[in-house]
Amino acid sequence: EMCIRDRYQRRVRDTRNQTRAMSAFDLHSGYQHATSRAWHASDASLGREHLMLPLFVSNGTEREPVSSLPGVERVPAADIVDYARPLVARGVQAVLLFGVMTDEAVKTNDGACALANDTPVVIAARLLKEAFGKELLVAADVCLCGFTSHGHCGIMRSIEEGSENDGHGLDVEASAAQLGRVAAHYAKAGCDIVAPSDMMDGRIAAIKRELRAAGLGSRVGVMAYSAKFASALYGPFRDAAHSAPSFGDRRWFAFCVVVFVVVLCVCLLSFRVF
């Protein structure tokens, strides 16, 4: 009898521990939208439901062509519905928003302009969800590089320290905390997914804490869609997003480009390209 009771109590204790561990992952957030559910299919296939259309949304008033990316435009956030409507009609099911601040004067060391109520991503997300609802999955890139005065992906302890030491003045803890606040801000605006691309240590934990605090931990997904590399191949994108670093480079927190080749080969093999 004692043996059976001990075994039962141990099983109850183990179950509680497993439940606590599972609750830390917010697994439901990956299944809240029909498109994201399609991404969990067990077969290795590639269809339009697996693709996302990047949209560069700005706080400007006119569309601006990106010279380094022919056919790509920076679209004013207020015009995003008119821009997206024909695309959705042609089968686009998911978009990925990149905020572009055209006014350099509003950028600061901590990228606080990303937390404004009229920041481009927030305006665009609200308008897209009002216009298309569940028909369109809306994701938002989460990074500070487009909102900081120095163009790096985190907060500097001081610009002088970062400049003199090849950028090692980065305040990682403050950066992760700010990224968490930005992610929650986008989620409250209606984004189905927040997608960090900053490469800051600890940012996923910080984002999860902020989403849970806002009551969105099980409703808004976190997608690590991008591993950032220290490469000149990002030149056109940095031009589009107005996010090029004003000094130094990103070798001290971004991956070596050799890793990109390895990751690309693994992805291609998973889809049986080779």
Side-chain angles (χ1 to χ4, degrees), residues 228-234 238 249-252 254-257:
K228 193 165 283 184
F229 299 88
S231 171
L233 293 174
Y234 282 93
R238 292 168 184 161
D249 53 44
R250 293 172 178 164
R251 288 179 297 176
W252 37 280
F255 283 152
C256 169
V257 72

Side-chain angles (χ1 to χ4, degrees), residues 44 261-274:
V261 178
V262 175
V263 173
L264 179 61
C265 289
V266 171
C267 292
L268 293 175
L269 285 170
S270 68
F271 286 108
R272 302 182 181 90
V273 174
F274 294 147

Side-chain angles (χ1 to χ4, degrees), residues 26 184 188 206-217:
D26 299 327
K188 292 174 185 176
I207 290 172
K208 285 289 190 178
R209 280 195 298 270
E210 291 292 339
L211 290 177
R212 289 175 189 141
L216 297 170

